[in-house]
Every structure is written in structure tokens, then in C-alpha cells.
Amino acid sequence: MLESFLDSFLPPKKSSRYVLFLHETKALLLFVILLNAHHELLSNLYLHVTYSKEDAHKSMIYSYQHGFSGFAALLTSSQANKISDHPEVIHVIPNRILKLQTTRTWDLLELSQIPTSFSSSTTSVKGLLHDTNMGSEAIIGVIDTGLSLSLPLSLSLSIYIYISLSHIMYICIYKGIWPESKVFNDQGLGPIPKRWRGKCEPGEKFNATIHCNKKLIGAKYYVNGLLAEMGETFKTTTVREFKSNRDALGHGTHTATIAGGSLVPNVSFYGLARGTVRGGAPRARIASYKVCWNTMQKDGTGPGGSCSTADMLKAFDDAIHDGVDVLSVSISGDLPEDTEVDKPDFVGAFHAVSKGIPVVAAASNEGPKAQTVANAAPWLLTVAATTLDRSFPTKITLGNKQTLFGESLFTGPEISTGLAYWDSESDDNGDVKGKIVLVFDTTSTYPVETKGVAGVIYAQHPDDIVDRCHAFPCIYTDYDLGTDILQYIRTTSFLMIPTSNHRSPTARISAATTLTGLPATPKVAEFSSRGPNSVSPAILKPDIAAPGVSILAALSPFDPNGHDGFGLASGTSMSTPVVSGIIALLKSLHPDWSPAAFRSALVTTAWRTSPSGEPIFAEGSNKKLADPFDYGGGLVNPQRAAHPGLVYDMGIEDYINYMCSKGYNDSSISRVIGKKTKCPTPKPSILDMNLPSITIPNIEKEVTLTRSVTNVGPIKSVYKAVIESPLGITLTVNPTTLVFSSEDKKLDMD
């Protein structure tokens, strides 16, 4: 149990957690040398006060050595100020606590030609899945809640000290996993890629020998930062949790399934959404890094996911060392978004990207309001959420024989009983026990829940979320249908002249069914956070969109919303691993591409209409056609992304120029890069950042900007510009034709 190891992490009085970033060490220093150097620096600080050398060692939470050099430690504010003046220290940053953010997905994205099991012949598999053997040599890293769960991140007072220093692997940084789930079976998989340097760590209810296999090849957990921050408030006597990679919440298991889960046929949610559950790269290997934990929230809202940035930074550090190919991070912070140079998790992601590891992150769930997109650093690939072309229509038959259709997860048996309206403004709603009750979303449902009702018809503004109510069936409709039902109730209940055939209002609710394809089409989910980018308006965010509503995947058996180990979940947490799984496939096909090249390929080939050709709308206060601030380049198109022709590539120097263009000083940039950096003169223009998009926040006069494109298609290729100017804007491209050869693989254009 977690209480047994809390005491050893309790800080000195009035101390906080800090992360320190240090200057780059000389090449080829061994792990133990770096660790000793970190302890020596911390010991020198403690010896200036009344603490012993042993106290200094106990105060260290983590030592970071692989992607960067630094450590997390418990320090008082005066100690933090003192150590920040040390010549080897680049920056000292407080720790923060962050929060966490199916069967139809791959059909919609035209990535669905698969056998029914791994033992079946793969000759029927075509396209990207065939060309990559379904990602069998990829390793996906998931940073989350472990295996069995995307939640937002919350603020903590720790401080970080940062010291600078081709098979595909998919890494999940998350809340761990539920290893017994069928989605982690390794049937038909070959040996673990030899380049893998990670490991499975044993822990509470997690046997590394039994639970890890050729599918789940890595399982680690990080809790020291959270324990140092929360102290004795983190107890498994009040919330269910495991001191291991085992996932108590289910979020990490769900997202790992979406990214790289094995094939599990004939899965459904109480009969709905039936099909084969699998990940985007179903033969990819999974490494789980549990950094988010089920804790009691400080605001008193009950248990939830909490993720320490000190723990996240250590997970990034380990993932870089372990040799993962892509990192999936369904975690985001609160608004306002911090600058890129002040967020330890952004720094950790930067170093992963600098090592060639794409980092895919959730856009957050604060939509449809503008400027709410999170994870906006330009080195992150930020994912918005769309609906699927699937619905769960539920027939409502009124006593007057009128038939209406709502949506629900109600699977029967059919209900036929009296119908009533619950008026929150009235003190006399009558006896509604045993009846179906109509409620508008301006009214709290709590009074209704305590009245023994047979069911609830919930009229609401469309928000794309369909939940299963446990106490009674609940059916969701829009205001129009809700008003029609209310009109029927009122005209039936209040007839001025009773007649012999007068009856009280009644309704019959039938079980929901599963409908795929038209008329249901993808749209940007209402909850999906929107641009423009509040930190850097000239950088388009989100980058791309993917399905993230009612996604069926594996869950922890403790999750009350699951059924037989699977469940439906919604959020940008779900859309993020969709893209992570696709990148795992793409990296199998193009092992030499940079993270920027993968983003470019996805953005420039995305669908701007649905795959069936229908417009993509964005849900909000008013439904509208989706635009780049809703979905970036559009809905991800994996098959086309495999062969984009041209890519807008970038490297470390491009990100340095970005930070210089933002006006960050040399010392701030140096603490991100991990070594002394000086901005060029004149200052670069942020508009020239080599993104596959152009965003000009305030266009008042003629603007000239530059892009470089790299040919990844046939060697002798010719591309001609096709210009579609926005209304009121005149665009020109020079040159209008690009001619590539074996010598000219990269060309500029204005």
C-alpha cells in the first residue's frame, strides 16, 4: 500500500518540489557519474545550512540523465534561489500536478482491411497495414495511468532542476494498464525488437514475468514527484490504486488499446457498437509509463487523475533511453497555457523530439470556446476530436403514435409507461414514480434521480456525449424534439374538456440500435478545444483531428462504465492515440523521417470533408462548417499520409528560431535546449517557421514569407501550385512550379 512509503518522501518544513536544469555534461559520462554529480551539487547546497549530507540525498526525487541532465528535489524557496545562481544550473522550475484528458474508427479512416485474428492469413490485408505488417516492429510508448486510461493536469509546487547532456516503438505515457486484458495478448508476434532497452518493473498486483510479454514489453511507474507534492493525502484507503503499472482507472488501458491493441473479435458494449476491437497498429509493441494516479482531489471533488510534471519528466527521460518510436500523451494542463520555456513536460517532449521521437498530445476538452487549445508547443503534434459516422438511435413512441428518435446506450428491455415533465420552477411536479420523465438540461437531474422514475428523456444542446445511466435508462434529444414531447405532454394533460377517450400522456422507449454511415457523418466534437493558439497565434493549433467520441476499447474491470472489460469513452484523450497508432505505422514505412515530417504528411493529406464527401461541421453554440481552428489540417487520412509527395521538414534549429522569434531571451532558450544558445541577428520571423500551414494573426499589409519543401516522392517529380485564396485575400506563390531531381531534393518558395 502507498501509505507505507510516504514518510521517506516528506520534505523539510516549508519546502517545495523543484526541477533543476543543468548545463550539458561532457559526452559519454556514465549514469553513475551523472547521478553522483547531481547528489554532490545538492549536498553542497544542504551543507550551507543545518541539514546533513544524508538529508540532501533524501531530498532528491529523480535524477534525469538520458534526454537531458537534471534532477527533481525538495527545496525551500531560499534553497531554490541559492541553487539557481550556481554556474551549472540553467533553470529552476516549480513542479506542477496535471490532469488526464474504437470498433468503428478504423473503418471510417479506411484502415480496416484486417484478418479476424493474428493466426489468420494476412494476404487480405492491403495498403498501409499490409506494407508495415500492421506495425509489428513498432514500439508505442503511452504516458498515462498505466494499463487497464486523458485527464487534465493540476498544479503542484515541486521544482525541477534540468541538466543538459529503427524498429518502431510506441510508448504510452499514461496511467498504466490492466495487463490481463485480451488487447495485450501477443499471439502471432515475433521476437521483441533487439533495440529495445526498457524493462518491466514489478509492483503491487503486477508480476513483470507473468504480465509482460511480446506485446507489452515495457511497464514502469513514477510516483515520487506526486508523493512529495501531496504527502499523506495520497492514500489507497480512500481511493483504489496500485503501487505499480497496474491501471486502477482504466484510462491508460483504453488509450493503449486505441493506439496498438491486439485484435479482439466480437466485442460490444451491451450489444452496441459490435465489432473487432484493435489498435491503429495492432501488431505494435507497447511500453506503458504510469505517471497519473487516482487521488482525492484538493478541491474536494472526489477521486481523479493527478500527474506530477516531475514524474512526467522522468518518464520522458526513460522513454528516450528505452528506444521508443512514438510517444502518446493524453494529458493537458489548465488555461492559461504556460510558455514553452516554463513547462517541464514541454521541455521533456522537446528532448524526445530532438531525438527523433514524435510526441502526440491531446488538444484538451475545453471547447467549443475559442483559444482553449492546450499542448500548443510547435514541436508537439496536437490532436482535436471528431465524432464517428456512427450513432445509437433510440425510438421514442408517444401515446399519440408520434415516433421520435433520440440517442442512448439503453439496451432494453422496452419500457412503456406514463410520461411527465419535470419543471424545476414548480413546487408541485406530482408523483413521477414509475414514469418516464422529460428534463431539460437547464434543470438539475438530481431531484428526478431520487423519485424512482422509470427513465429520463434529457433534452439538451448537442454535446456529442452519450452516457449510460445506471439507475434508469436515459435518452438524449435536442431542444427541438424535447419541445415536441413537452407540447404533447401539455396538450394531453390539460385538456379543458375531458372526453371519454382522454388518456394521460404515455411513452414507449425501445432499445437502442447501432447505425453506421449516412446520415451520421463525422463532425468536430463540441468538447474539443479550439484555436487560435493563445500562446503563439501564428502557430496553427490543433494540428489534426481524429475520432474521439464513444470509442470502444478495453478498460479496467473496476470502471463502472465498462462491460466485460470494454467500454465507450470520449475525449481528445481518445483521439490522440488514434494518431499515435497511425504514426507507428508510418514510422515503420519511413524510419528516417523526422517528427516534423510525420506532422506535415498528416496535415497536408487530411480529409477536409468526411471520407464519404459530406461537409465536416463543428458543434458549438451554433453549428458551422469546421475550419482549421477547429480541426487543423482536417480529419486524419492514414493511407494518403503514407505517400504525401512533399513534406515541410524541421529540425532543432527551426525550433530555436521559433523561440527567438517569440522574444524569449537566450538564457530561457538555453534551459530548454540544454546548452548555451544565442539568437541570430536579425531576429527570425515566426511567419517563416516551416510549418505545413500559414497563420497570420493581424494581416494589415502585404506579407512575404518562405517555406521549404522536401520531396519524398519519386526522385524526378514536378509539382505545380494550385491556389485557392481566402475571401478578400490575394495569394501568390513563387515559383509556381517545383522541379526535383536526385540533386535537388529540397526547394524553397515564397
Side-chain angles (χ1 to χ4, degrees):
M1 303 296 279
L2 290 171
E3 300 96 309
S4 63
F5 64 101
L6 278 172
D7 291 343
S8 62
F9 292 103
L10 293 179
K13 288 184 178 180
K14 299 183 179 179
S15 67
S16 297
R17 273 55 62 193
Y18 293 85
V19 177
L20 282 75
F21 298 98
L22 308 181
H23 284 291
E24 188 173 25
T25 57
K26 295 206 166 52
L28 302 180
L29 284 180
L30 298 177
F31 175 92
V32 67
I33 298 176
L34 278 172
L35 183 60
N36 288 340
H38 295 174
H39 279 140
E40 181 179 357
L41 179 60
L42 197 54
S43 296
N44 289 339
L45 172 69
Y46 268 73
L47 291 176
H48 282 86
V49 289
T50 58
Y51 297 104
S52 67
K53 196 167 186 176
E54 183 180 353
D55 291 328
H57 279 242
K58 282 186 176 181
S59 71
M60 182 175 291
I61 300 171
Y62 288 117
S63 179
Y64 309 114
Q65 292 131 19
H66 302 301
F68 39 86
S69 181
F71 59 89
L74 301 170
L75 302 175
T76 64
S77 58
S78 61
Q79 288 173 330
N81 291 332
K82 185 175 182 62
I83 203 169
S84 65
D85 294 331
H86 193 285
E88 290 300 314
V89 175
I90 296 174
H91 193 38
V92 179
I93 303 176
N95 181 36
R96 302 198 319 149
I97 303 297
L98 306 180
K99 298 177 289 183
L100 294 173
Q101 302 294 327
T102 69
T103 47
R104 179 61 184 171
T105 300
W106 309 114
D107 292 335
L108 172 66
L109 301 182
E110 299 181 357
L111 196 66
S112 58
Q113 305 94 338
I114 58 171
T116 56
S117 70
F118 282 136
S119 59
S120 304
S121 170
T122 60
T123 55
S124 62
V125 179
K126 298 179 181 178
L128 183 58
L129 286 169
H130 173 272
D131 296 342
T132 62
N133 193 24
M134 293 189 277
S136 64
E137 293 303 310
I139 302 175
I140 299 173
V142 181
I143 299 182
D144 205 301
T145 61
L147 292 191
S148 201
L149 151 176
S150 164
L151 304 179
L153 308 175
S154 46
L155 182 63
S156 138
L157 299 176
S158 300
I159 297 184
Y160 298 91
I161 301 182
Y162 177 50
I163 308 178
S164 36
L165 299 173
S166 195
H167 286 59
I168 308 304
M169 301 189 180
Y170 175 46
I171 295 193
C172 299
I173 298 185
Y174 237 14
K175 275 196 151 188
I177 57 170
W178 196 264
E180 293 86 355
S181 175
K182 296 177 182 178
V183 298
F184 303 121
N185 82 78
D186 63 355
Q187 180 185 357
L189 291 180
I192 296 171
K194 292 181 179 179
R195 72 188 185 284
W196 174 243
R197 298 185 298 274
K199 64 180 181 179
C200 284
E201 293 178 346
E204 183 182 357
K205 303 295 184 181
F206 193 97
N207 185 314
T209 302
I210 295 174
H211 293 134
C212 285
N213 54 23
K214 290 183 289 186
K215 180 69 174 182
L216 176 59
I217 63 173
K220 297 181 179 179
Y221 62 96
Y222 308 85
V223 71
N224 294 357
L226 185 65
L227 290 178
E229 195 61 50
M230 301 187 69
E232 295 188 51
T233 61
F234 186 18
K235 294 183 178 180
T236 56
T237 54
T238 53
V239 294
R240 177 181 281 114
E241 189 49 280
F242 303 96
K243 186 195 168 187
S244 69
N245 191 269
R246 183 173 290 278
D247 178 15
L249 290 175
H251 190 272
T253 301
H254 201 274
T255 53
T257 303
I258 297 168
S262 297
L263 296 150
V264 183
N266 199 32
V267 175
S268 72
F269 185 70
Y270 294 97
L272 298 173
R274 186 178 299 278
T276 296
V277 164
R278 69 172 179 89
R283 284 185 170 169
R285 319 307 170 104
I286 292 174
S288 173
Y289 297 78
K290 180 177 178 178
V291 300
C292 299
W293 300 80
N294 193 22
T295 67
M296 293 301 295
Q297 301 299 291
K298 292 183 177 180
D299 60 5
T301 56
S306 296
C307 327
S308 160
T309 49
D311 295 333
M312 287 184 67
L313 199 58
K314 182 60 176 173
F316 275 114
D317 191 37
D318 281 355
I320 292 169
H321 165 267
D322 293 345
V324 304
D325 295 304
V326 56
L327 279 166
S328 190
V329 187
S330 292
I331 303 171
S332 66
D334 296 324
L335 294 174
E337 182 99 325
D338 290 340
T339 60
E340 297 92 344
V341 298
D342 291 322
K343 291 195 69 176
D345 46 316
F346 280 11
V347 174
F350 175 87
H351 284 273
V353 169
S354 72
K355 304 295 184 183
I357 304 168
V359 180
V360 187
S364 195
N365 304 326
E366 300 299 324
K369 298 182 292 294
Q371 294 185 302
T372 53
V373 64
N375 288 320
W379 46 85
L380 297 174
L381 203 167
T382 311
V383 185
T386 71
T387 64
L388 291 163
D389 61 338
R390 181 182 68 193
S391 60
F392 304 111
T394 306
K395 185 166 70 172
I396 304 169
T397 306
L398 303 181
N400 61 2
K401 307 302 183 184
Q402 183 180 5
T403 299
L404 307 171
F405 284 91
E407 191 168 9
S408 77
L409 300 179
F410 171 58
T411 54
E414 181 177 276
I415 299 172
S416 183
T417 186
L419 178 65
Y421 168 57
W422 184 271
D423 185 356
S424 62
E425 301 298 322
S426 172
D427 294 328
D428 183 19
N429 280 292
D431 184 11
V432 295
K433 184 176 181 179
K435 294 183 179 180
I436 298 168
V437 177
L438 172 67
V439 178
F440 281 74
D441 65 2
T442 54
T443 303
S444 169
T445 61
Y446 176 73
V448 178
E449 294 171 4
T450 63
K451 300 298 182 180
V453 300
V456 171
I457 299 174
Y458 196 57
Q460 62 176 0
H461 177 80
D463 69 356
D464 307 309
I465 304 297
V466 179
D467 291 323
R468 182 181 177 90
C469 301
H470 296 283
F472 44 75
C474 49
I475 291 79
Y476 299 88
T477 70
D478 59 19
Y479 287 142
D480 287 344
L481 288 182
T483 301
D484 288 344
I485 296 171
L486 178 59
Q487 182 70 8
Y488 161 70
I489 293 172
R490 285 177 169 169
T491 56
T492 305
S493 299
F494 301 116
L495 285 173
M496 297 300 295
I497 304 175
T499 63
S500 59
N501 62 354
H502 168 64
R503 297 180 179 177
S504 299
T506 61
R508 183 172 69 250
I509 298 176
S510 303
T513 58
T514 303
L515 176 67
T516 58
L518 294 173
T521 60
K523 60 182 181 292
V524 179
E526 184 187 47
F527 61 75
S528 184
S529 288
R530 309 297 211 266
N533 182 340
S534 62
V535 176
S536 296
I539 306 298
L540 179 64
K541 290 290 178 176
D543 293 296
I544 198 74
V549 176
S550 296
I551 307 300
L552 183 62
L555 287 172
S556 160
F558 293 131
D559 193 319
N561 297 311
H563 173 66
D564 290 341
F566 294 86
L568 298 166
S570 300
T572 53
S573 285
M574 284 67 245
S575 59
T576 296
V578 170
V579 174
S580 302
I582 292 169
I583 289 181
L585 296 176
L586 295 176
K587 201 165 185 182
S588 298
L589 200 62
H590 303 291
D592 298 328
W593 280 12
S594 70
F598 289 113
R599 169 171 47 195
S600 176
L602 293 172
V603 170
T604 59
T605 61
W607 280 296
R608 289 167 181 79
T609 62
S610 72
S612 62
E614 301 297 319
I616 296 179
F617 288 92
E619 287 286 10
S621 54
N622 293 297
K623 182 181 288 188
K624 67 178 185 66
L625 282 174
D627 61 42
F629 294 130
D630 301 313
Y631 63 10
L635 178 64
V636 64
N637 185 336
Q639 302 287 6
R640 286 189 60 198
H643 305 286
L646 298 176
V647 295
Y648 296 80
D649 208 357
M650 288 192 293
I652 299 305
E653 290 301 318
D654 296 277
Y655 298 123
I656 292 174
N657 287 340
Y658 161 75
M659 287 184 276
C660 292
S661 71
K662 280 284 294 177
Y664 300 135
N665 58 41
D666 292 346
S667 62
S668 295
I669 298 172
S670 296
R671 69 194 185 210
V672 174
I673 305 302
K675 59 184 178 181
K676 189 173 182 180
T677 304
K678 187 173 179 60
C679 286
T681 303
K683 183 172 73 173
S685 169
I686 195 171
L687 298 179
D688 287 332
M689 192 172 189
N690 206 41
L691 293 165
S693 60
I694 296 172
T695 308
I696 304 175
N698 299 298
I699 185 165
E700 298 175 346
K701 57 183 180 180
E702 182 176 304
V703 176
T704 300
L705 46 85
T706 301
R707 290 291 186 272
S708 296
V709 287
T710 301
N711 179 33
V712 295
I715 294 175
K716 294 182 179 180
S717 295
V718 177
Y719 296 87
K720 294 185 178 181
V722 177
I723 302 172
E724 296 181 7
S725 300
L727 184 64
I729 303 293
T730 300
L731 296 179
T732 60
V733 178
N734 182 41
T736 57
T737 302
L738 298 176
V739 181
F740 292 90
S741 65
S742 57
E743 292 81 22
D744 297 317
K745 297 180 180 179
K746 186 175 182 178
L747 297 174
D748 295 338
M749 57 183 179
D750 298 323

